[in-house]
Amino acid sequence: MKPLLKVSGLNAWYGESHILHGVDLTVGEGEMVTLLGRNGVGKTTTLRSIMGIVRKRKGEISFTGADLMKVPLHRVAPHGLGFIPEERGIFSTLSVHENLLLPPAVAKGGMTIDEIFELFPNLYERRSSPGTKLSGGEQQMLAIARILRTGVRMMLLDEPTEGLAPVIVQRIGDVLKTLKQRGMTVLLVEQNFRFASKVADRFYLMDHGQMVGEFPVSELSARMDTLHDVLGV
Amino acid sequence: MQAFLGQLLIGLINGSFYALLSLGLAIIFGLLRVINFAHGAQYMLGAFFAWLLLSYFGLGYWPALVIAPIAVGLVGAVIERTMLRRLYTLDPLYGLLFTFGLALTIEGTFRYLYGASGQPYATPAALAGGTNLGFMFLPIYRGWVIVFSLVVCIGTWLVIEKTKLGSYLRAATENPVLVQSFGINVPFLLTLTYALGAALAALAGVLAAPIYQVSPLMGSNIIIVVFAVVVVGGMGSIMGAIVTGYLLGVAEGLTKVFYPEASNIVIFVIMAIVLLIRPAGLFGRDA
Amino acid sequence: MTLTLDIEKPKEKNPVVVQTVFLGIGLALLLLAPLFFYPVFLMKLLCFALFACAFNLLLGYTGLLSFGHAAFFGGAAYFTAHAVKEWGLPPELGILVGVVGAAFLGLIVGYLAIRRQGIYFAMITLALAQMFYFFCLQAEFTKGEDGIQSVPRGHLFGFIDLSQSTNMYYFVLGVFVIGVAIIWRIIHSPFGMILKSIRENETRAVSLGYSVRNYKLAAFVMSAALTGLAGGVKALVFQFATLTDVGWQMSGEVILMTLLGGIGTLIGPLFGAGLVVTLQNYLATSEFPVTIITGLVFMVCVLVFRRGIVGEFYHSRLGRKLGFEHRQ
């Protein structure tokens, strides 16, 4: 089966710093794949390079058959790719409602506003507040919700559970499971592999800007030793 | 009393121009992080366009009010697209220096072509004359300037705060990269914003033409005062820029009544005072 | 990026040798110049070169763009002209009055402007300089639109007659050399190092415990004082002080000289001043609109020539071979 996203030999730089040294990964349609790795190995850079936020890149990025390397940043989303940054990026000068409606729809099949408020009832209650008056967990919900509205086929999620209380983390896990049921493809960056193990199908292990391992969720317990080594936990 | 009200009126008129111009500056700075020194020159261009349209094409005030801003906006768009946008990644001082050079070039060109003295521009017939309000005599054109500029200012504020396009602008001001990743064409938004700012300046210029003389120097005279206005008001807030513009215009007008020698520096003095007691500016939201 | 660092390292001795050679040649040229050029033209050049170097202390080394330095230049010109003409002070004391006056103005302007960061700083200096311009327009002692005319050059130290062009030239040259030497000393002192660190990363300087505001203010006052030195001397050279010297166009001119010559280089402003003064002289007689050219040069420089003449030279292959470090 042809993968939805195929990355080969991706090298990327922040200025003079060479961060990614030939990253290879694939994500199939409907899969939830997680990138694991310590801080600073290039997980976020991988997502940002795929999306096109990092422009100094070499290699191949193919999404739904299209070569993303040549696409300017503002034309990537219409291919069906959405990005939720680590810092969530909720706009303080916009209300929750405006934040939600900001990303334009790129395809049919996105969640309707009603469906979104059903999935995230607390967002409905807070819809007129300024975006940044929300709690961390609510902001994460909002960040996910506004991408869902646009009808993208695949989401790049950067550390969704970082800094959130266990109760909220659980909630986010539920949201991801719901998304999976709806057929959303997700590439997830997570340090909390226990959380990831509950939702992901497959894992990539990253170190020093490269992939050093790949395994399905079924092999997770068997790989614990390797994980402890590479992740340093 | 007449003198007082007369000066108050003049103060409101000047304030209208200060408000319109600092509004344009604030919008451009908000999104592009560039201080548009050429704003005064674009204001002058608006006035000159109106004069040129009348002198060479016989087109009067009302067409000029529409054509001049569009023309100047288009020129601004071209400048942004070809030159200004190369400077966004640099220290903001380069944007200031570039637009300073642009202002000099524009002003120099018109000074070369038309000399330093001003050309008169007649008040449009529909707005000529005045009415007696009982407590004072109000020239209709002056009243028009105040009302129209207020409408434009509030209208612009509404567009920015209440519309979808405005939300794109506000979001892009905060995080342009993320907004681009959503699929919004931020580069085009930047061009549009600069063009809009330039058009606002040109609109102010057309409004100014019947009141002040149309002179190549009118831009540089006013831009420095407008800088002081935005320092006082802070550029983080659109409404702040508008309110400060009117306030300082009135302050200037009142000073002319009580202490005329100081009237051309009172805004700078206010700026100095504000810097001492409230450095972030009256409505300061940015550092 | 190719690693040129390894190749350049062994030549560390070169920069000092090369710089001394260049310095020697430069001085020799300046000493002999009156034989080939009009002294007044040369003196104008030296005054503006000092002005630009003093300005660059603030822009290139501290990272502060002042858009109102004409206030110090023209202000000092007024102060010196008044002191020499109305109070009868000898030239050296007259210039001192100019310097002190400029430093005092610098203290006020700097104190107010430093309260805002970044680009607001530039706008504030512009506005305050404009305020000073209006003050000069209306004040008694500046004689409004006419300016102060017929300023006597006097006798330096009581016996050197400065109305003789040659004497005046070497005096101006001496002042210029002293001024640049002072700037050089400031840049290469611990104080100068701190200024550089503020320019490069202000937040880090703050976190290291430096009271950044005081350093900025000190740099501002020094720059204003040295600018005042240039302005005071200029008043004596041309024997008048006018409103043009305090106008915003003058502030723009010195920025152009610095930009053209090379922000952040010590002698860049000298070349920039030389170029601009020569160009102005050449265009003064023709119908050519100087403002348009100035504006265009500004735009071109900012777009494609940000390093300036000297900066580009340092960055070029010849410059790097000679051991000059490439500064941004």
Side-chain angles (χ1 to χ4, degrees):
Chain A
M1 197 185 66
K2 205 156 172 277
L4 195 60
L5 171 72
K6 182 168 155 64
V7 174
S8 323
L10 180 63
N11 282 268
W13 292 260
Y14 276 126
E16 303 302 337
S17 308
H18 192 174
I19 308 285
L20 299 182
H21 295 95
V23 166
D24 303 302
L25 63 86
T26 62
V27 182
E29 178 125 38
E31 269 198 299
M32 196 164 291
V33 173
T34 305
L35 285 187
L36 294 176
R38 282 192 324 274
N39 270 332
V41 298
K43 309 189 299 297
T44 299
T45 310
T46 304
L47 291 189
R48 290 164 67 101
S49 301
I50 295 173
M51 195 65 203
I53 292 172
V54 172
R55 299 308 295 182
K56 221 168 164 186
R57 318 165 284 181
K58 277 200 188 62
E60 281 176 39
I61 305 175
S62 162
F63 181 68
T64 64
D67 176 14
L68 285 190
M69 284 291 279
K70 298 197 176 70
V71 179
L73 177 56
H74 65 271
R75 283 207 237 275
V76 173
H79 285 271
L81 192 55
F83 174 63
I84 297 165
E86 195 178 339
E87 62 277 10
R88 290 152 206 157
I90 303 300
F91 301 102
S92 62
T93 46
L94 271 58
S95 68
V96 167
H97 200 89
E98 281 182 307
N99 265 288
L100 191 53
L101 292 177
L102 188 75
V106 297
K108 294 197 235 300
M111 279 181 144
T112 64
I113 292 284
D114 296 323
E115 285 175 310
I116 289 181
F117 282 139
E118 216 185 290
L119 190 55
F120 305 99
N122 43 357
L123 287 185
Y124 180 76
E125 282 164 29
R126 313 273 262 130
R127 68 190 181 285
S128 308
S129 319
T132 39
K133 288 274 196 287
L134 267 52
S135 70
E138 287 168 332
Q139 286 192 23
Q140 187 61 63
M141 304 286 184
L142 179 55
I144 297 176
R146 67 184 173 186
I147 297 292
L148 291 182
R149 203 190 64 87
T150 61
V152 294
R153 277 169 83 174
M154 177 169 179
M155 280 166 50
L156 304 173
L157 252 184
D158 199 348
E159 305 225 22
T161 67
E162 192 200 2
L164 298 180
V167 162
I168 316 283
V169 171
Q170 176 123 21
R171 188 82 189 79
I172 293 185
D174 292 337
V175 169
L176 287 182
K177 284 196 195 121
T178 311
L179 291 182
K180 194 143 184 273
Q181 279 164 7
R182 288 176 63 110
M184 177 70 76
T185 312
V186 176
L187 179 57
L188 182 67
V189 161
E190 254 304 335
Q191 294 211 42
N192 182 347
F193 61 82
R194 263 167 267 276
F195 165 78
S197 66
K198 299 208 180 85
V199 291
D201 302 313
R202 212 163 27 101
F203 294 85
Y204 281 100
L205 208 48
M206 246 188 121
D207 205 2
H208 299 308
Q210 281 178 313
M211 297 311 186
V212 296
E214 182 200 341
F215 51 91
V217 63
S218 50
E219 289 179 34
L220 185 57
S221 25
R223 300 288 199 120
M224 267 315 179
D225 287 338
T226 328
L227 276 182
H228 286 309
D229 280 341
V230 176
L231 296 181
V233 285
Chain B
M1 188 53 170
Q2 278 283 29
F4 176 78
L5 284 176
Q7 279 308 123
L8 193 63
L9 184 68
I10 294 180
L12 271 177
I13 291 170
N14 286 349
S16 304
F17 293 116
Y18 296 152
L20 275 173
L21 289 172
S22 47
L23 173 63
L25 262 187
I27 292 176
I28 292 177
F29 179 75
L31 189 58
L32 278 60
R33 293 291 155 203
V34 164
I35 302 289
N36 184 27
F37 209 117
H39 214 65
Q42 285 152 351
Y43 161 77
M44 182 269 284
L45 277 179
F48 249 101
F49 249 96
W51 180 82
L52 287 169
L53 284 172
L54 184 63
S55 309
Y56 291 102
F57 298 101
L59 287 171
Y61 181 81
W62 301 103
L65 210 54
V66 174
I67 298 176
I70 294 179
V72 176
L74 277 173
V75 172
V78 169
I79 291 181
E80 193 277 343
R81 191 74 187 72
T82 56
M83 296 184 269
L84 193 56
R85 70 169 39 178
R86 293 161 203 261
L87 306 176
Y88 293 151
T89 50
L90 302 174
D91 194 312
L93 73 89
Y94 287 112
L96 178 60
L97 292 179
F98 176 80
T99 51
F100 175 70
L102 181 62
L104 284 181
T105 309
I106 296 176
E107 180 181 305
T109 307
F110 275 79
R111 190 131 60 111
Y112 181 66
L113 294 173
Y114 296 103
S117 56
Q119 322 279 357
Y121 187 85
T123 311
L127 298 172
T131 68
N132 195 332
L133 295 177
F135 54 87
M136 68 170 294
F137 177 78
L138 174 68
I140 295 193
Y141 188 73
R142 266 61 173 167
W144 156 257
V145 166
I146 298 173
V147 169
F148 186 65
S149 63
L150 205 56
V151 167
V152 171
C153 283
I154 296 185
T156 309
W157 181 85
L158 281 173
V159 167
I160 291 177
E161 290 296 318
K162 302 287 176 191
T163 66
K164 191 96 204 265
L165 177 65
S167 72
Y168 285 1
L169 257 155
R170 279 176 285 136
T173 303
E174 269 192 68
N175 193 339
V177 174
L178 186 63
V179 171
Q180 257 184 289
S181 77
F182 291 157
I184 296 171
N185 192 345
V186 172
F188 177 72
L189 213 56
L190 296 174
T191 310
L192 189 66
T193 303
Y194 190 75
L196 179 68
L200 269 172
L203 183 65
V206 177
L207 281 176
I211 299 184
Y212 312 121
Q213 291 215 303
V214 176
S215 145
L217 300 178
M218 62 195 287
S220 49
N221 290 339
I222 205 172
I223 191 66
I224 301 179
V225 178
V226 175
F227 277 179
V229 170
V230 299
V231 169
V232 170
M235 279 190 288
S237 149
I238 300 293
M239 190 46 87
I242 298 172
V243 171
T244 312
Y246 281 107
L247 271 178
L248 289 182
V250 170
E252 197 184 49
L254 291 179
T255 312
K256 237 201 165 110
V257 182
F258 300 112
Y259 192 21
E261 300 84 25
S263 62
N264 53 8
I265 60 164
V266 65
I267 292 186
F268 301 132
V269 172
I270 294 178
M271 180 191 81
I273 297 174
V274 168
L275 280 171
L276 285 172
I277 53 181
R278 217 192 127 104
L282 294 181
F283 301 92
R285 241 198 266 165
D286 44 2
Chain C
M1 157 107 160
T2 54
L3 296 171
T4 54
L5 300 166
D6 309 309
I7 309 169
E8 303 303 345
K9 268 304 179 208
K11 294 212 170 106
E12 260 179 28
K13 265 200 270 172
N14 261 22
V16 182
V17 173
V18 171
Q19 279 174 6
T20 323
V21 168
F22 274 128
L23 195 65
I25 297 177
L27 260 171
L29 284 173
L30 285 173
L31 284 167
L32 296 173
L35 298 173
F36 304 101
F37 299 98
Y38 288 120
V40 176
F41 167 75
L42 288 172
M43 290 191 275
K44 181 178 183 187
L45 206 154
L46 287 174
C47 285
F48 277 100
L50 181 58
F51 183 11
C53 287
F55 174 79
N56 199 23
L57 178 63
L58 205 55
L59 177 60
Y61 290 97
T62 321
L64 294 173
L65 173 65
S66 157
F67 229 111
H69 250 53
F72 314 128
F73 184 71
Y78 275 124
F79 298 146
T80 299
H82 188 81
V84 167
K85 185 174 178 190
E86 303 295 329
W87 298 343
L89 290 183
E92 64 272 15
L93 288 184
I95 291 177
L96 186 62
V97 168
V99 172
V100 169
F104 182 65
L105 269 178
L107 186 62
I108 301 176
V109 173
Y111 179 74
L112 286 171
I114 286 168
R115 293 175 82 76
R116 292 297 292 272
Q117 311 279 61
I119 211 68
Y120 282 106
F121 175 86
M123 293 197 290
I124 294 169
T125 55
L126 179 59
L128 290 174
Q130 188 75 341
M131 186 157 95
F132 184 70
Y133 172 87
F134 281 123
F135 169 75
C136 288
L137 180 59
Q138 292 172 321
E140 279 281 330
F141 89 98
T142 55
K143 315 264 186 287
E145 303 253 353
D146 294 325
I148 303 181
Q149 311 262 1
S150 309
V151 175
R153 282 196 189 157
H155 286 76
L156 182 64
F157 305 132
F159 63 95
I160 305 178
D161 183 9
L162 291 181
S163 53
Q164 300 256 23
S165 285
T166 327
N167 289 350
M168 189 66 192
Y169 173 76
Y170 287 110
F171 170 58
V172 173
L173 180 60
V175 169
F176 172 75
V177 170
I178 294 174
V180 175
I182 294 177
I183 295 174
W184 186 90
R185 195 68 196 83
I186 295 175
I187 292 171
H188 288 96
S189 70
F191 175 78
M193 293 294 141
I194 298 174
L195 289 185
K196 245 184 274 197
S197 73
I198 292 175
R199 196 199 96 192
E200 250 131 59
N201 192 336
E202 193 173 320
T203 8
R204 199 200 295 156
V206 171
S207 71
L208 286 173
Y210 291 110
S211 61
V212 166
R213 267 200 190 168
N214 292 343
Y215 278 95
K216 280 183 179 176
L217 186 58
F220 197 90
V221 172
M222 282 181 209
S223 173
L226 287 161
T227 301
L229 181 61
V233 171
K234 180 197 177 279
L236 293 179
V237 168
F238 287 99
Q239 301 183 271
F240 63 74
T242 63
L243 282 175
T244 325
D245 297 334
V246 288
W248 60 266
Q249 293 91 335
M250 180 64 81
S251 294
E253 246 176 66
V254 73
I255 300 177
L256 180 64
M257 293 176 190
T258 311
L259 179 63
L260 199 52
I263 297 175
T265 66
L266 182 55
I267 50 158
L270 169 58
F271 283 90
L275 198 59
V276 173
V277 169
T278 311
L279 204 65
Q280 278 179 344
N281 252 46
Y282 183 69
L283 291 175
T285 45
S286 72
E287 280 278 305
F288 244 78
V290 179
T291 325
I292 301 183
I293 305 229
T294 310
L296 286 173
V297 175
F298 250 114
M299 287 166 66
V300 168
C301 271
V302 169
L303 283 175
V304 298
F305 199 62
R306 281 185 293 277
R307 290 198 202 96
I309 299 172
V310 174
E312 286 290 341
F313 173 71
Y314 283 174
H315 186 69
S316 70
R317 255 198 259 138
L318 176 61
R320 274 182 285 156
K321 254 209 238 154
L322 290 173
F324 290 105
E325 51 166 280
H326 158 47
R327 304 192 65 225
Q328 255 315 113

